[in-house]
Amino acid sequence: MSSVTRSETLSAATIREWTRAHVLVSWSEQGRLSPIPIVEAHGSTLRAADGSTYLDFSSGLINVNLGHGHPKVVRAIQEQAARPCYVTSSFGSDSRAALARALHEVSPSGALTKTLFTTGGGEANENAIKIARMVTGRHKILTAYRSFHGATYGAATASGDKRRWAAEPGIPGVVHFFGPYPYRSPFEVAPEHEAGPALRHLEGVIMYEGADNIAAILLELVPGTNGVIVPPDGYLQGVRDICTRHGILLIFDEVMTGFGRWWGSEHWSVVPDIMTFVKGVTSGYVPLGGVSVSPAVAAHFDTRTLWAGLT
Ligand SMILES: Cc1ncc(COP(=O)(O)O)c(C=O)c1O
């Protein structure tokens, strides 16, 4: 059995063999895998060890927004690696302060002022749920059935599709509802008429769950892995109005929709109370995500501990 140091390059056969032997590959039946060894990536082109090239139509997992191997990003990472890479959370660092400031400046209508950083989207959504529960003192979280919010325990519970089942019974207090789905409307109306019945359905769920028990509605702007479902005009504004009326916080999961036009929510001019992001913020070069919050949400923690954190 040979061993390897980081500076050695593995042969294609070894990459395939060791991946099959030692890597648990997500969302896959392991025995059926035959991983293609990728040895180079530039822009939107991946080159495999046998010389064949692949056009990366999905930008990785819809996260490599800037393309692979962008020289400016590589240089920035190299420069940052020579500076303090980690300071304990109660200290300050210029990179964290500058990124938090930049995120505020580009946030929807400049309305989100503070950010808690995470390393991934599932963690961001779980922290958003915790923050909403701490701020409102309520425990229920409403999310759509056609949604994916991450694979960690709480985020998987929040997800509506079948990737939730493996995490069940999951965290308590998550309730699912049906959002608009123009392809096969659960409300049996034409796509352009879906907003009204979808909002009435949501109001009905809120009535039976008790508005005073509901901390937040967590929504993907355009449900991504459930079919890229663009909501009908009026739906997101309607959800915003329902939340405001009932004192429910609106969390937008911009993990997939963020960093195009800055945020998916800009297409409908709807501003959330809390927003989560990951993927495009680093274009997949390093793991980073976060939860940005409004001044009203942030103010809650001026005099109370934020019971959240990661190393
Ligand atoms: C909308 C959405 N939310 C959350 C996640 C989870 O992000 P992560 O894989 O970084 O935990 C994903 C991942 O694809 C996603 O598409």
Side-chain angles (χ1 to χ4, degrees):
M1 172 88 181
S2 59
S3 65
V4 70
T5 65
R6 282 295 305 277
S7 58
E8 289 176 62
T9 304
L10 301 181
S11 70
T14 308
I15 295 174
R16 201 175 280 120
E17 183 194 327
W18 287 7
T19 301
R20 289 176 62 105
H22 305 298
V23 179
L24 275 174
V25 178
S26 46
W27 311 120
S28 303
E29 195 180 312
Q30 309 295 305
R32 293 157 61 96
L33 291 171
S34 179
I36 298 166
I38 300 298
V39 291
E40 267 178 43
H42 294 291
S44 48
T45 304
L46 306 174
R47 195 174 66 78
D50 67 1
S52 46
T53 56
Y54 295 83
L55 185 54
D56 186 5
F57 265 121
S58 62
S59 304
L61 275 180
I62 308 91
N63 63 332
V64 190
N65 296 25
L66 298 175
H68 300 274
H70 195 296
K72 272 193 182 171
V73 182
V74 173
R75 203 174 323 119
I77 292 170
Q78 287 167 336
E79 284 168 11
Q80 177 59 39
R83 310 181 63 201
C85 285
Y86 182 80
V87 293
T88 192
S89 46
S90 54
F91 289 15
S93 80
D94 65 346
S95 49
R96 191 177 61 182
L99 179 57
R101 172 76 191 181
L103 284 162
H104 157 58
E105 285 172 355
V106 302
S107 71
S109 304
L112 306 179
T113 46
K114 286 192 172 181
T115 296
L116 170 75
F117 290 106
T118 68
T119 54
E123 282 172 356
N125 285 325
E126 295 207 5
N127 278 290
I129 289 171
K130 280 176 67 181
I131 287 170
R133 286 176 167 173
M134 284 185 270
V135 169
T136 60
R138 306 171 178 182
H139 70 286
K140 291 192 188 181
I141 304 290
L142 267 51
T143 73
Y145 272 110
R146 286 197 177 83
S147 72
F148 179 68
H149 296 291
T152 50
Y153 230 84
T157 308
S159 301
D161 73 33
K162 70 176 185 182
R163 286 171 284 185
R164 164 171 44 90
W165 299 346
E168 287 182 335
I171 62 166
V174 176
V175 177
H176 293 98
F177 62 91
F178 286 102
Y181 185 50
Y183 184 55
R184 283 198 189 92
S185 170
F187 313 105
E188 298 185 2
V189 294
E192 62 274 22
H193 297 131
E194 269 209 303
L199 291 167
R200 285 193 289 279
H201 161 69
L202 179 58
E203 286 266 29
V205 173
I206 290 171
M207 185 171 73
Y208 274 90
E209 295 299 333
D212 291 349
N213 300 321
I214 301 170
I217 297 176
L218 166 62
L219 271 189
E220 284 179 84
L221 273 298
V222 176
T225 48
N226 277 269
V228 190
I229 306 164
V230 178
D233 286 344
Y235 181 70
L236 292 171
Q237 185 57 55
V239 177
R240 172 69 275 181
D241 294 344
I242 288 172
C243 285
T244 305
R245 198 158 9 99
H246 293 295
I248 296 169
L249 295 175
L250 179 58
I251 306 172
F252 280 162
D253 176 338
E254 292 265 15
V255 163
M256 194 176 277
T257 43
F259 298 92
R261 192 187 272 194
W262 284 111
W263 310 107
S265 63
E266 289 171 31
H267 291 272
W268 293 275
S269 304
V270 179
V271 176
D273 303 293
I274 301 177
M275 180 181 81
T276 60
F277 60 88
V278 54
K279 298 184 187 276
V281 69
T282 67
S283 196
Y285 287 67
V286 291
L288 183 81
V291 187
S292 297
V293 302
S294 68
V297 172
H300 178 87
F301 300 103
D302 286 345
T303 52
R304 298 174 188 87
T305 300
L306 171 65
W307 293 107
L310 303 108
T311 308

